[in-house]
Amino acid sequence: MYRQVLDPVADSLGWSSLVAALPLAVLFVLLGALRMRAWLASLIALAVSLAIAIWTYGMPADQAFLAGTEGAAFGFFPILWIVINALWVYNITVATGHFDVLRRTFAQVSDDQRLQAILIAFSFGALLEALAGFGTPVAVTSVMLIALGFQPLKAAVLALTANTAPVAFGAMATPILTLGKVTGESSDTLGAMVGRQTPILAVFVPLILVLILDGRRGVRETWPTALFCGAAFGAAQYVTANFISVPLADVVASLVSAAAVVLVVRLRRPHAPARPVIAGGAADEPTPEFAARAGRAEAPADSRADVVRAYAPYAIIIAVFVVCQIDQVKDWLNGATQTVGWPGLHITAASGKPSTLPTFTFNYFTTPGTQMLVAGLLTMIALRVGAGRALRAYGTTLVQLRWAILTVMAVLALAFVMNASGQTVTLGTWMAGAGGAFAVLSPVLGWLGTAVTGSDTSSNSLFGALQITAANKADLSPVLMAATNSSGGVLGKMVSPQNLAIAAAAVGLDGREGDIFRRVVLWSLLFLAGMCVLSGLQSTGVLSWMVP
């Protein structure tokens, strides 16, 4: 039995925090500064975390390695299980040609790539986040952007940046439901509080996408549409989370924002750019493949039946996920769920209470990955795809994600080692000692948790209770601090090695995760700074009226 220690270095929480942060520092330096492949950087950071766990925290070596194996398993199931099946459905539509039809229908809304980026990366990505989450929107929207002529690197950057505001309500609000369980607070109240933070972020995300894609000129020419889309999303997310249903917040917001873009395009003819908007300048010069695509003759009009079949997979996905959210169906599916203790792993928290970390849940049918698999099987029927063709598409998906699979499993192993040994709790406890200033630092804790684990759900599991404890000590609102953990966590999603690996694999840039990281990290930190200011103001009389 290993009991966690919070201050193993000179009995000092501050010095211990510096040592505990080393695995993360190594990971981000290797990715951002040295541009090392994500899987290799993750394995090196994992080795550093194991060394610190064993020789600094005194964790028995077998316990440290077992924690790593549990993390790797969790990385595959349920996280990679979701992404693999989501990309499989996408690859089926590519193999049958229906994805090209879908791409053309999106292009018909507007031939302006800047508006296409908003519609696909932000609105459609939010819908995928609402249904599946866990990297699915980044994988699917990035390849959709490539199909429309975007450069791979820029497509990945746009998809990652857009995958922010919807994350807290992703996978039918799984992060917030989890936060409610670990904190004891009402998930409806927490969802309402998050719904008073992330909608403000949503207003600016489409503008940032245009800025990334086409600079200040793009913002100047398309800001009314971008702003209207962001405002529509934010308003819908706020209203739904506060007055209708927390799990449906992203579903409603994504559809409303997409309708807003279409409405503006229909009512107002946007100024089309004089030159093609190619992302990123010299680093992203058009490849012959994209140059050839740009010069193709206009494709013939698709029939109504073709369009219906192109949208059928996504209608099926929505239907499957909605049915699985019905209480009676969910209870029935939960009957197959098994919870087991990870063999040989025994951990006690620093407080002396048994840690829940060795508990592993096999939610076979309630996980979005299995539901996505069912949607894929129904898609095979709807598109009349044979078993052989579907299996080949699955094989293509596994090959496409091979390095991402290794990266995600290594990163989750790193996260579990840090969590089990106490490294992560050391960092959180040190930050929680900031007193009243913790209101400003609270989003950083959520950001850190998501950056490490790649999941806002995992970040809430990790730091949710700590946020409540810190709030009570500093006389702050527990609801505000717990919700802020989730709102801050959404901003760590774009820099998490897990998401970087998924994005790189989806666009065919394996090994260039560092390049993607360097292009998104500043936006992540800028958004985080804004969330810190908002949280600080909401903890004072200035905006305390926003706290339910």
Side-chain angles (χ1 to χ4, degrees):
M1 179 73 70
Y2 167 69
R3 181 165 180 170
Q4 293 176 340
V5 183
L6 299 185
D7 53 356
V9 180
D11 296 324
S12 167
L13 201 58
W15 286 110
S16 300
S17 296
L18 288 176
V19 175
L22 282 177
L24 301 181
V26 168
L27 179 61
F28 290 132
V29 168
L30 292 179
L31 277 177
L34 301 183
R35 305 187 187 185
M36 187 175 288
R37 288 178 175 268
W39 65 267
L40 183 56
S42 300
L43 289 175
I44 293 174
L46 171 60
V48 173
S49 70
L50 285 168
I52 293 174
I54 296 169
W55 286 301
T56 301
Y57 280 77
M59 188 177 191
D62 61 331
Q63 296 288 292
F65 281 101
L66 282 171
T69 60
E70 184 186 6
F74 183 78
F76 189 85
F77 186 92
I79 294 175
L80 283 166
W81 181 236
I82 299 169
V83 177
I84 289 171
N85 288 316
L87 269 183
W88 172 56
V89 175
Y90 159 77
N91 281 329
I92 287 177
T93 67
V94 171
T96 58
H98 291 93
F99 180 76
D100 287 333
V101 178
L102 181 69
R103 171 180 59 81
R104 287 193 288 269
T105 62
F106 275 110
Q108 287 171 4
V109 174
S110 172
D111 58 0
D112 190 328
Q113 283 193 326
R114 298 164 300 191
L115 301 188
Q116 292 171 357
I118 294 173
L119 186 63
I120 294 173
F122 183 67
S123 298
F124 187 62
L127 179 60
L128 294 176
E129 180 67 37
L131 299 175
F134 297 99
T136 301
V138 170
V140 175
T141 61
S142 58
V143 291
M144 289 183 73
L145 292 174
I146 288 179
L148 286 170
F150 289 73
Q151 289 298 295
L153 185 60
K154 189 59 64 165
V157 171
L158 290 169
L160 285 166
T161 306
N163 191 220
T164 47
V167 168
F169 297 97
M172 306 306 285
T174 296
I176 293 175
L177 297 177
T178 302
L179 185 62
K181 290 180 181 178
V182 301
T183 61
E185 299 286 340
S186 165
S187 58
D188 287 337
T189 305
L190 293 170
M193 185 65 244
V194 175
R196 303 176 191 198
Q197 293 176 321
T198 55
I200 298 174
L201 169 68
V203 173
F204 299 99
V205 172
L207 290 169
I208 297 301
L209 296 180
V210 173
L211 183 63
I212 292 173
L213 186 58
D214 198 31
R216 287 179 293 179
R217 186 196 70 161
V219 174
R220 185 173 62 252
E221 294 176 352
T222 64
W223 70 265
T225 306
L227 189 61
F228 187 55
C229 174
F233 184 97
Q237 193 181 62
Y238 163 75
V239 170
T240 307
N242 279 270
F243 306 111
I244 302 176
S245 167
V246 171
L248 293 178
D250 275 352
V251 175
V252 175
S254 62
L255 297 176
V256 169
S257 66
V261 174
V262 174
L263 178 63
V264 173
V265 170
R266 292 288 183 267
L267 297 179
R268 175 181 180 272
R269 190 75 177 176
H271 177 71
R275 55 177 173 79
V277 179
I278 301 296
D284 300 322
E285 287 301 320
T287 62
E289 175 189 353
F290 291 107
R293 180 183 289 124
R296 288 175 187 167
E298 185 176 350
D302 298 302
S303 68
R304 181 172 299 178
D306 287 336
V307 173
V308 170
R309 282 192 290 268
Y311 278 91
Y314 301 98
I316 290 171
I317 291 171
I318 293 173
V320 169
F321 278 80
V322 169
V323 168
C324 290
Q325 290 301 311
I326 298 173
D327 290 338
Q328 293 85 348
V329 177
K330 184 185 292 187
D331 291 340
W332 180 70
L333 294 176
N334 262 327
T337 298
Q338 290 184 324
T339 301
V340 299
W342 197 253
L345 185 59
H346 307 290
I347 302 172
T348 300
S351 62
K353 298 180 180 179
S355 172
T356 60
L357 189 137
T359 302
F360 197 93
T361 301
F362 292 96
N363 52 336
Y364 300 105
F365 297 137
T366 56
T367 176
T370 302
Q371 294 168 15
M372 190 66 73
L373 177 63
V374 172
L377 296 175
L378 294 176
T379 297
M380 289 172 55
I381 298 173
L383 301 185
R384 300 176 183 176
V385 177
R389 198 173 190 182
L391 287 173
R392 286 193 294 272
Y394 211 97
T396 300
T397 302
L398 292 175
V399 172
Q400 182 180 3
L401 289 174
R402 62 191 185 281
W403 296 114
I405 290 172
L406 177 58
T407 302
V408 171
M409 294 179 71
V411 168
L412 266 297
L414 161 69
F416 270 61
V417 170
M418 291 185 65
N419 297 348
S421 64
Q423 296 171 57
T424 309
V425 183
T426 295
L427 289 168
T429 305
W430 174 68
M431 294 177 63
F438 181 69
V440 178
L441 296 176
S442 176
V444 179
L445 203 55
W447 180 92
L448 179 67
T450 304
V452 174
T453 64
S455 165
D456 196 41
T457 300
S458 298
S459 177
N460 289 342
S461 298
L462 188 60
F463 290 132
L466 185 63
Q467 293 272 11
I468 294 288
T469 301
N472 290 328
K473 288 182 179 178
D475 197 25
L476 297 168
S477 166
V479 169
L480 172 61
M481 293 299 96
T484 301
N485 190 84
S486 194
S487 298
V490 307
L491 306 173
K493 187 92 169 180
M494 69 175 85
V495 296
S496 70
Q498 171 187 312
N499 252 24
L500 291 171
I502 291 170
V507 300
L509 292 178
D510 289 309
R512 296 189 61 184
E513 294 86 357
D515 291 336
I516 301 173
F517 172 78
R518 287 168 47 241
R519 284 166 170 77
V520 298
V521 65
L522 291 180
W523 294 116
S524 177
L525 295 176
L526 179 63
F527 283 141
L528 177 61
M531 190 61 69
C532 289
V533 172
L534 177 61
S535 174
L537 292 175
Q538 288 177 330
S539 70
T540 68
V542 179
L543 294 179
S544 59
W545 53 269
M546 296 181 68
V547 181

